[in-house]
Amino acid sequence: MNIKKTASILAGAGTGVLIGKALKGKKICPACIAKKAFAATQVHVEDVEKYNNGVALTPPMGWSSWNTFRNAIDEKLIKDTAEAMKKTGLLDAGYKYVNLDDCWQSSMRTADGKLQGDLTRFPRGMKPLIEEINELGFKVGLYTSNGTGTCEDLPASLYNEAVDADTLAEWGVEYFKYDFCHNEAIPTIAPSVIKITLGKPGEEAFLEMQAEHGIVSKGAKVVADEKVENGYMVSNLCGGLGELLFDTIEAPEDGDYSLTIVFRKGGLKRKFLVCLVNDEKEYDCYFPSSKGFTPDGRLQIVVNLKKGLNTLKFYNPVASRMDSAQRQYTNMGRELQRATREFAEKNGTPEKPICYSLCEWGMNQPWKWGAKAGNLWRTTHDIKPFWASMLAIYEMNVRLYKYAQVGAWNDPDMLEVGVGQLNTEENKTHFSLWCMMAAPLILGNDIRKFINPDGTVDENNKVLEILKNKYLIAIDQDKRGIQAKRIFSDVASDILAKPLENHELAVCLFNKSNKPKEMQISLSKLHSDPFVDLPIKASYEATNLWENETFELKEVIQVTVAPHGVAVYKIKAID
């Protein structure tokens, strides 16, 4: 299904009832109350196609402006960073995305409603900059929010999904981070429908149908109301319950038609309906709160009908905050796919699909529906550049290993390696854990610091060495796309196992404590977990991926792990 956002809102809607002492003063749809407990725990994904745009088949790698530079970004900084990434070998190591986070855009949209770059910090606009960075061998990412503003209160994409997706496609953007600041949830409440009319735009309506004559099902009901035309309306279309179907809509020809929904005014909350045409295309209809001097209001949208018989179904599928987030993020993803496809077709160029990052902060369990909405989804709130933050985010994300898969990744947020208060051992640990968890590797440090004053690369820089560790990167980028499982844990330590290609295995021994710790793991322990598919052989080869030392493994790996440190091994059977 395609989802088309409509902004044609002419009036307010709805009826409500007072429910019980605890809800005194609140107007609630009675059908929603009946399903309240159920809806709070459900994820409605069964009718949504799996997101598949052919990118991010391994976790994305790149750099983002946010962790170090916040709002202090401009064209020169981005170009200098890209050039430094190439010179230091980070591009060759796999870091191919250069992502501009919040504050790249002007506070003004253009006269035709499009996003534009800050008029002085990006004076040439975004497309020339993106093309220059592409020429260096990188892909470029941009950012907005699934809200009425970004986290820094700049223009965002909620209610502007189609036009913003078209703009991103026109500019050649290949990564899109979609935040959650200033989000407005889709209402779970629906208006009561009195009737519908249909006509060609610019002509008189040729069809009028009373709602009471439609097919009412799934909890919807015909309600008497002496204040409205004909004295009846259809209510209880809210919260994923009731439906109203008109199955005898005759259109004289293929094309666009003006559909008017006449509804009952009243209520202090916004309301929402979906109009599904011919079981193929959805149109979202938002109704503002309203009072007014008349009992009925009108909302108009333009729908596409085929010649002959058509069906129109009205319902509100949103029963929870989770439903709202899923629907909004899915909507933007579909617009991105549509926009890149249409731009390529229009211009006769290869399609540039956009890696779609859902930055929803884990508020509505995106790991349960994110694979059907985008390529990666944030599982936590923002990371901070100190140990306690990194550890807390790890503890949350490591539990979600079952949800990661090829092209769809748990995202525990960007790397703080080389930023803030982490020491060298903690930087290694942070990097190792993210690689074990098949997490996106998005750098956040100032890459320019890896370049000496004389223009040479500081090859002895410890942070650069960590970020270019090809063995750990290979663990993260393993094509099986399996996130590590924690197979042992106590207060002071964890052991993680990550199955790899060719039935090899990565094992990470993680010391959470402030003191050195003796740790060990046996092959028998590994083989006892069905998650581990390491073949049972007489002998194995193990490689310490930080020391690059290989040895024959008979049964037990035993090692002293530094405070806040890790030891990471790749194990493979010897035939």
Side-chain angles (χ1 to χ4, degrees):
M1 295 181 203
N2 286 324
I3 299 178
K4 182 177 180 181
K5 188 74 68 178
T6 175
S8 299
I9 301 173
L10 301 184
T15 59
V17 294
L18 297 179
I19 307 293
K21 182 177 180 181
L23 298 176
K24 184 176 181 181
K26 296 183 179 180
K27 298 202 172 197
I28 304 292
C29 168
C32 299
I33 295 297
K35 215 173 183 182
K36 182 178 179 182
F38 175 81
T41 60
Q42 297 303 300
V43 184
H44 305 283
V45 298
E46 61 275 8
D47 295 328
V48 181
E49 294 179 3
K50 179 177 173 58
Y51 200 78
N52 182 12
N53 58 353
V55 301
L57 301 182
T58 59
M61 296 176 61
W63 174 87
S64 168
S65 60
W66 182 253
N67 283 0
T68 294
F69 299 104
R70 295 293 195 265
N71 64 346
I73 60 173
D74 57 24
E75 181 176 299
K76 184 178 187 305
L77 171 68
I78 301 304
K79 289 173 60 178
D80 288 350
T81 297
E83 290 170 355
M85 289 177 70
K86 186 167 186 175
K87 189 169 187 177
T88 56
L90 289 169
L91 174 60
D92 291 339
Y95 298 94
K96 64 181 181 180
Y97 289 105
V98 175
N99 295 338
L100 286 70
D101 208 280
D102 208 346
C103 301
W104 63 267
Q105 62 268 67
S106 170
S107 64
M108 303 184 298
R109 287 180 177 266
T110 64
D112 52 354
K114 295 182 179 180
L115 294 170
Q116 59 183 338
D118 185 286
L119 300 180
T120 54
R121 295 186 177 189
F122 297 92
R124 296 185 301 153
M126 305 312 296
K127 188 172 184 178
L129 174 62
I130 290 170
E131 291 172 347
E132 287 186 7
I133 297 176
N134 287 163
E135 289 174 1
L136 292 172
F138 293 95
K139 300 177 184 293
V140 181
L142 291 181
Y143 159 107
T144 70
S145 182
N146 183 12
T148 56
T150 70
C151 296
E152 294 293 310
D153 307 315
L154 293 167
S157 296
L158 186 63
Y159 311 127
N160 294 287
E161 291 89 346
V163 65
D164 288 355
D166 286 334
T167 300
L168 296 173
E170 179 185 348
W171 289 347
V173 171
E174 292 176 275
Y175 188 105
F176 178 59
K177 177 181 173 182
Y178 203 31
D179 218 329
F180 202 50
C181 286
H182 299 295
N183 179 260
E184 292 182 350
I186 298 173
T188 60
I189 303 173
S192 297
V193 178
I194 301 170
K195 67 178 181 181
I196 63 169
T197 68
L198 202 67
K200 295 288 289 184
E203 300 178 6
E204 292 185 1
F206 63 83
L207 180 147
E208 178 178 304
M209 298 189 71
Q210 299 295 322
E212 64 188 281
H213 298 149
I215 300 172
V216 176
S217 63
K218 298 184 179 180
K221 60 183 180 180
V222 177
V223 177
D225 187 335
E226 62 182 15
K227 294 184 179 181
V228 304
E229 180 181 340
N230 288 346
Y232 293 97
M233 60 189 181
V234 173
S235 297
N236 289 5
L237 299 172
C238 57
L241 294 178
E243 295 182 354
L244 171 61
L245 172 66
F246 298 98
D247 62 352
T248 57
I249 305 296
E250 287 280 351
E253 59 185 38
D254 293 345
D256 289 337
Y257 290 83
S258 174
L259 171 66
T260 301
I261 305 168
V262 181
F263 58 92
R264 184 67 160 92
K265 288 184 182 178
L268 300 178
K269 293 185 178 181
R270 297 165 64 241
K271 298 171 179 67
F272 178 73
L273 271 180
V274 170
C275 175
L276 175 62
V277 177
N278 296 325
D279 289 324
E280 294 177 350
K281 191 168 186 178
E282 291 184 327
Y283 297 83
D284 290 358
C285 308
Y286 287 86
F287 302 75
S289 61
S290 68
K291 296 179 182 178
F293 297 100
T294 57
D296 58 307
R298 301 188 310 277
L299 181 142
Q300 290 184 325
I301 62 174
V302 175
V303 298
N304 188 268
L305 302 180
K306 62 184 181 181
K307 181 179 180 180
L309 193 64
N310 295 264
T311 64
L312 301 179
K313 183 186 292 184
F314 297 91
Y315 56 94
N316 182 349
V318 179
S320 68
R321 190 67 175 85
M322 185 185 297
D323 288 343
S324 172
Q326 177 192 328
R327 188 174 186 86
Q328 290 172 336
Y329 275 98
T330 300
N331 182 26
M332 187 66 196
R334 286 176 175 155
E335 292 293 353
L336 294 173
Q337 289 182 305
R338 174 201 57 77
T340 57
R341 181 183 66 252
E342 290 181 358
F343 182 83
E345 291 172 352
K346 179 181 178 181
N347 293 278
T349 57
E351 184 176 359
K352 295 179 72 175
I354 298 173
C355 179
Y356 181 29
S357 170
L358 286 59
C359 185
E360 191 265 353
W361 319 331
M363 297 288 288
N364 293 285
Q365 298 179 296
W367 46 89
K368 291 185 176 180
W369 47 267
K372 297 174 185 286
N375 297 113
L376 56 148
W377 51 88
R378 275 278 295 280
T379 57
T380 67
H381 281 281
D382 290 1
I383 194 170
K384 301 294 189 297
F386 51 85
W387 176 257
S389 174
M390 187 281 294
L391 183 60
I393 285 178
Y394 157 78
E395 291 287 354
M396 178 64 191
N397 195 75
V398 73
R399 305 173 189 180
L400 304 175
Y401 68 96
K402 292 181 181 179
Y403 297 98
Q405 56 185 286
V406 172
W409 311 103
N410 290 314
D411 178 11
D413 205 4
M414 299 172 287
L415 290 166
E416 297 283 12
V417 177
V419 183
Q421 303 172 17
L422 298 177
N423 61 36
T424 297
E425 202 66 43
E426 292 168 343
N427 278 328
K428 288 170 58 179
T429 296
H430 179 15
F431 191 73
S432 299
L433 294 176
W434 264 233
C435 290
M436 290 294 294
M437 294 189 295
L441 302 179
I442 307 297
L443 311 180
N445 55 311
D446 187 349
I447 307 298
R448 301 170 304 173
K449 291 183 177 181
F450 297 148
I451 308 296
N452 293 318
D454 62 0
T456 60
V457 177
D458 183 5
E459 299 290 357
N460 296 319
N461 187 289
K462 295 298 182 183
V463 171
L464 183 58
E465 289 180 5
I466 291 169
L467 298 180
K468 290 174 63 176
N469 184 310
K470 62 182 181 181
Y471 306 109
L472 268 299
I473 291 173
I475 298 301
D476 179 78
Q477 296 291 296
D478 186 81
K479 292 181 180 179
R480 289 185 72 182
I482 298 175
Q483 178 174 323
K485 175 185 177 182
R486 180 162 52 186
I487 61 174
F488 170 82
S489 182
D490 60 23
V491 174
S493 61
D494 286 352
I495 297 178
L496 307 178
K498 185 182 192 302
L500 306 173
E501 287 187 286
N502 303 316
H503 296 291
E504 298 177 351
L505 184 73
V507 176
C508 176
L509 291 77
F510 174 27
N511 176 14
K512 304 177 188 179
S513 74
N514 296 321
K515 297 179 180 180
K517 184 176 179 61
E518 291 292 325
M519 297 185 66
Q520 66 176 30
I521 183 67
S522 67
L523 288 169
S524 57
K525 171 68 174 177
L526 293 171
H527 284 134
S528 69
D529 193 317
F531 180 78
V532 175
D533 59 1
L534 187 69
I536 297 177
K537 298 288 185 178
S539 184
Y540 298 84
E541 178 182 280
T543 302
N544 184 317
L545 300 185
W546 281 112
E547 304 297 331
N548 192 23
E549 296 176 347
T550 299
F551 57 92
E552 185 178 3
L553 174 61
K554 293 294 187 180
E555 173 57 22
V556 176
I557 293 176
Q558 186 165 350
V559 63
T560 300
V561 183
H564 292 184
V566 292
V568 186
Y569 299 88
K570 186 172 78 169
I571 302 171
K572 65 178 181 179
I574 300 176
D575 294 327

